[in-house]
Amino acid sequence: MAEVSVKEKDSPKLPIPGRRNILITSALPYVNNVPHLGNIIGCVLSADVFARYCRLRGYNVIYICGTDEYGTATETKAMEENCSPKEICDKYHAIHKEVYKWFGISFDEFGRTSSPQQTEVCQQIFHTLMENGWLSENTMQQLYCDTCKRFLADRLVEGTCPTLNCNYESARGDQCEKCGKLLNPTELLDPKCKVCKNTPRIRDTDHLFLELPLLREKLESYINSMSVAGSWSQNAIQATKAWLKEGLKPRCITRDLKWGVPVPHEKYKDKVFYVWFDAPIGYVSITACYTADWERWWKDPENVELYQFMGKDNVPFHTVMFPSTLLGTGENWTMMKTISVTEYLNYESGKFSKSKGIGVFGNDAKDTNIPAEVWRYYLLTNRPEVSDTLFTWADLQAKLNSELLNNLGNFINRVLSFIAKPSGLGYDSTIPEVLDADSHLLTKTLAEKVSKHIEQYLDSMEKVKLKEGLKTAMSISGEGNAYLQESQFWKLYKEDPTACAIVMKTSVGLVFLLASLLEPFMPSFSVEVLKQLNILPEEKLTFCDEKGETDKAKRPWDLIPSGHVIGKPEPLFKELKDDEVELFRQRFSGSQADRKEKAEADAKKIAGQLKATKLSGLTQILFTWKRLMWEKNLREQ
């Protein structure tokens, strides 16, 4: 199937007066590892679906994202791989970009927080906050490692979570992965330096703080109004209220690190900004990389709507920290209108984990040879919108084989294959002439059902209920299959040619409709269906109010004109078999480290066999090829 790549950069789009202008961001993926499927559905894929939907509606939209590159985790990864933080960022930024390209994520700009624009925007916001009196200086106690001779930032410390009934033994210094509670490193029980594993001691160090308590009134006013106007998801509201209920405290915005945005203050010139202070500012700076007129997007709240997508662990930083930062400047910022939050996608019997290498990662998905549109479909039907959901290989197989292959693919292939049959058996690939389709009772009933589904689809998507939108679109495929069966078109072709022409012209219209409605979810599928219909991608059905195509879509027999010649029908999906599923389950069991160890052992075994055995020329070549393939896979782990 045709690959749909990351959107090519055209001339920058700017807000247009009188149009609906939508600015979309997804949480900036951290650059220290390959994104796993939980990361992908939690932010970039969900945002991509909404961005594509907005384009389908004719809205003026840009989708901004990029890699979050500063902070302790990057320094830690650089130590592990014995290179500089910049080299780590260059390496993983390229990997992220390639993964998202394969998944068909249509960014308008995919940037980096290590850009000069990030330093400029971040430091300017800092200066304004300082001038407005929202920053304070204070001495805080911080863990210091005598072995490494450095203060330990949050992620350089691990210990036992102090939260009652949690007791997770691998809690980070900034947050417990198990219970989600935000922490300070000094609160951890039995803390250890992640680098040398020794126990650090507490020392005093001076830092700058954002005075959240003083900004509380402004913040609560924003939250109370925008959470209603923007229909914030319940999990976002709950997480935000929990922070407010606990009581806002001054938040430290500086760190004793080298890799980050330098603090432009003489006393703190050897420090950098805390990654959670500067990372959300990355949305702004990456937009500045996209266009020099970035303020037209970010400082025009009357004409621009900001939608943000993220996992639940990122919520307080986007509903409390970042808004407080912007409100503190006193400038007319475009504040977040709608926040779409996902819970966790878990893997088989446990959690996806970047740090532990557990689960299926973006490059793994590509290596399975299961097409990108299948992965997109599965992740979106399984999107954890209100509670955690579970990825299992058996469920992926079931959804591919029953929903995509037997429902959607079967409907489209039946329709197009019949039309493509030669005259006397079908329509010789030409859409037949039809009169009075709406007087055909079965067709009229179908059109009424499809009309309701279209309205429900648009309503769900406007409310960012993506899973519901996808389910509704797929229902149209189900209606199409039932319509074909009830009409018994194969009999009508001989017995009632007029009725058969109505059924087939209506059905091919449904195929066109499905290619359009499902484009936000499975863009490469849409491209392939349009190719089989012999319709250019840019000619797909849109749902712009001014074009009136939404009403036209409710009369599917009118969507493709009589006399239009379709392309060659081909199967759209391939069955996933039991033995393949079992192979994948075994291949991706355990952690990345386990898989690497197994690959090394297998490679050594093959090398030993080669050395110990006298082989014929052809067999030698085959064994050598196999060994090289193992080594290639090993390098890619």
Side-chain angles (χ1 to χ4, degrees):
M1 219 174 256
E3 183 178 303
V4 178
S5 64
V6 176
K7 188 177 181 291
E8 291 298 322
K9 190 170 180 179
D10 304 312
S11 56
K13 287 178 281 186
L14 296 172
I16 301 169
R19 288 276 298 281
R20 191 170 176 199
N21 301 296
I22 297 180
L23 170 59
I24 297 172
T25 72
S26 55
L28 306 182
Y30 205 77
V31 78
N32 70 324
N33 210 328
V34 182
H36 58 61
L37 298 184
N39 304 137
I40 290 166
I41 186 58
C43 50
V44 296
L45 179 55
S46 296
D48 179 64
V49 171
F50 188 66
R52 287 178 180 275
Y53 165 75
C54 289
R55 296 182 194 117
L56 199 64
R57 293 300 305 271
Y59 304 150
N60 185 39
V61 59
I62 62 170
Y63 173 20
I64 300 296
C65 190
T67 41
D68 177 8
E69 302 194 353
Y70 286 137
T72 321
T74 307
E75 284 197 359
T76 307
K77 191 71 173 179
M79 288 177 199
E80 286 174 15
E81 298 199 12
N82 197 28
C83 62
S84 70
K86 184 182 184 306
E87 287 171 325
I88 281 290
C89 293
D90 290 345
K91 172 184 172 180
Y92 283 101
H93 175 80
I95 291 171
H96 275 258
K97 201 166 184 177
E98 188 58 36
V99 166
Y100 303 139
K101 179 180 179 181
W102 186 79
F103 271 94
I105 309 297
S106 59
F107 306 112
D108 287 275
E109 183 75 21
F110 185 74
R112 314 173 62 167
T113 59
S114 59
S115 69
Q117 289 90 337
Q118 173 75 354
T119 299
E120 184 181 340
V121 176
C122 197
Q123 290 183 345
Q124 182 55 54
I125 287 174
F126 166 77
H127 282 306
T128 308
L129 290 171
M130 182 70 86
E131 288 165 9
N132 292 349
W134 300 117
L135 299 180
S136 61
E137 299 181 66
N138 210 335
T139 300
M140 62 184 289
Q141 292 187 320
Q142 195 169 331
L143 294 175
Y144 184 87
C145 179
D146 289 304
T147 307
C148 297
K149 292 186 168 40
R150 63 187 294 182
F151 282 103
L152 299 180
D154 306 344
R155 293 195 178 207
L156 282 176
V157 187
E158 274 191 357
T160 302
C161 178
T163 307
L164 190 66
N165 299 323
C166 178
N167 301 319
Y168 182 54
E169 292 182 357
S170 298
R172 296 194 314 251
D174 60 344
Q175 189 172 20
C176 175
E177 262 189 347
K178 184 181 176 185
C179 70
K181 184 175 175 61
L182 296 173
L183 301 167
N184 285 316
T186 51
E187 294 177 303
L188 290 174
L189 306 176
D190 192 25
K192 301 289 182 191
C193 170
K194 274 194 74 173
V195 179
C196 68
K197 309 302 179 188
N198 288 326
T199 302
R201 63 187 175 90
I202 294 175
R203 267 183 59 176
D204 287 347
T205 177
D206 292 338
H207 282 285
L208 288 163
F209 292 74
L210 178 64
E211 284 291 340
L212 291 178
L214 302 180
L215 287 158
R216 183 177 183 121
E217 190 176 330
K218 290 176 185 284
L219 178 66
E220 286 189 331
S221 175
Y222 158 73
I223 291 169
N224 292 337
S225 63
M226 202 61 89
S227 61
V228 175
S231 302
W232 288 10
S233 53
Q234 271 308 115
N235 44 12
I237 292 171
Q238 288 165 1
T240 305
K241 286 186 174 176
W243 253 53
L244 294 174
K245 185 179 179 181
E246 199 173 292
L248 295 179
K249 302 177 181 68
R251 188 76 181 178
C252 184
I253 64 166
T254 53
R255 286 293 184 269
D256 290 295
L257 292 171
K258 298 298 180 188
W259 182 245
V261 174
V263 179
H265 187 293
E266 184 58 32
K267 182 177 175 182
Y268 299 97
K269 64 184 179 181
D270 291 331
K271 300 181 192 286
V272 299
F273 287 116
Y274 175 39
V275 69
W276 269 118
F277 174 76
D278 90 90
I281 295 171
Y283 302 129
V284 181
S285 72
I286 293 168
T287 311
C289 295
Y290 172 70
T291 172
D293 292 323
W294 62 270
E295 290 190 355
R296 290 177 61 183
W297 283 106
W298 280 99
K299 293 189 177 180
D300 189 3
E302 289 77 24
N303 293 305
V304 176
E305 301 169 57
L306 173 58
Y307 283 73
Q308 298 197 293
F309 290 77
M310 68 203 66
K312 64 181 177 182
D313 50 338
N314 287 344
V315 170
F317 301 106
H318 290 79
T319 61
V320 177
M321 282 283 291
F322 188 43
S324 296
T325 299
L326 297 182
L327 290 167
T329 66
E331 296 169 352
N332 195 32
W333 288 95
T334 300
M335 305 290 285
M336 178 181 65
K337 175 187 175 184
T338 298
I339 181 171
S340 180
V341 177
T342 55
E343 302 289 312
Y344 292 132
L345 175 69
N346 293 321
Y347 179 71
E348 292 281 349
S349 58
K351 273 188 175 184
F352 276 95
S353 172
K354 277 201 302 182
S355 58
K356 295 180 176 64
I358 294 170
V360 179
F361 289 70
N363 49 356
D364 296 332
K366 185 178 179 181
D367 291 343
T368 62
N369 291 322
I370 296 171
E373 68 268 18
V374 173
W375 284 108
R376 286 179 64 114
Y377 177 81
Y378 178 71
L379 290 172
L380 289 159
T381 58
N382 219 12
R383 186 173 186 251
E385 293 181 349
V386 294
S387 61
D388 292 355
T389 58
L390 187 65
F391 170 97
T392 70
W393 286 102
D395 190 35
L396 172 66
Q397 178 191 28
K399 284 187 166 62
L400 166 54
N401 293 348
S402 64
E403 296 173 19
L404 291 180
L405 180 62
N406 295 335
N407 176 359
L408 180 64
N410 179 56
F411 170 67
I412 293 171
N413 197 252
R414 286 178 80 188
V415 172
L416 299 187
S417 295
F418 189 79
I419 291 172
K421 285 181 179 179
S423 191
L425 297 171
Y427 296 95
D428 201 22
S429 298
T430 304
I431 307 299
E433 191 72 44
V434 164
L435 295 172
D436 302 323
D438 47 2
S439 65
H440 185 254
L441 184 59
L442 187 63
T443 300
K444 186 180 179 184
T445 303
L446 171 77
E448 288 169 356
K449 290 177 181 176
V450 169
S451 177
K452 288 178 183 175
H453 285 313
I454 291 171
E455 292 296 341
Q456 187 181 344
Y457 170 88
L458 296 175
D459 181 64
S460 299
M461 296 300 283
E462 288 294 328
K463 293 175 179 173
V464 203
K465 293 181 177 178
L466 307 182
K467 190 193 291 190
E468 190 177 280
L470 176 55
K471 184 179 178 182
T472 303
M474 289 294 288
S475 297
I476 294 175
S477 173
E479 300 288 4
N481 273 316
Y483 174 65
L484 288 181
Q485 284 303 110
E486 197 170 344
S487 71
Q488 295 192 309
F489 65 93
W490 56 94
K491 289 184 180 179
L492 288 181
Y493 186 74
K494 297 291 186 185
E495 298 169 5
D496 190 346
T498 301
C500 187
I502 289 172
V503 169
M504 296 318 294
K505 192 168 190 289
T506 300
S507 296
V508 81
L510 285 187
V511 171
F512 184 36
L513 176 62
L514 283 165
S516 303
L517 292 174
L518 290 170
E519 191 276 339
F521 302 95
M522 297 186 288
S524 54
F525 156 84
S526 180
V527 167
E528 180 62 24
V529 173
L530 292 173
K531 177 184 167 188
Q532 293 186 27
L533 286 170
N534 192 25
I535 295 173
L536 295 172
E538 56 268 25
E539 292 174 351
K540 71 175 177 288
L541 189 66
T542 65
F543 295 86
C544 306
D545 293 335
E546 55 266 33
K547 288 187 178 180
E549 288 191 349
T550 304
D551 288 331
K552 186 180 175 184
K554 296 170 184 177
R555 296 169 56 85
W557 54 84
D558 283 340
L559 291 178
I560 299 181
S562 300
H564 175 82
V565 178
I566 68 168
K568 183 184 177 184
E570 299 278 1
L572 291 160
F573 301 102
K574 181 186 172 188
E575 181 185 9
L576 187 59
K577 296 180 178 174
D578 291 344
D579 57 342
E580 293 175 289
V581 169
E582 186 54 35
L583 193 67
F584 290 138
R585 188 183 287 114
Q586 290 177 16
R587 179 176 166 189
F588 296 108
S589 64
S591 68
Q592 283 179 318
D594 295 336
R595 300 200 286 268
K596 186 175 181 181
E597 188 177 325
K598 183 179 183 300
E600 286 173 343
D602 288 337
K604 284 179 183 176
K605 184 179 178 183
I606 291 167
Q609 287 172 337
L610 279 171
K611 193 174 180 180
T613 312
K614 292 182 179 180
L615 300 166
S616 68
L618 179 58
T619 312
Q620 175 76 54
I621 290 167
L622 289 171
F623 266 100
T624 302
W625 175 82
K626 193 172 182 182
R627 178 176 57 80
L628 290 171
M629 290 306 294
W630 274 113
E631 289 175 354
K632 177 178 178 290
N633 289 334
L634 184 60
R635 286 196 301 273
E636 290 175 352
Q637 285 288 335

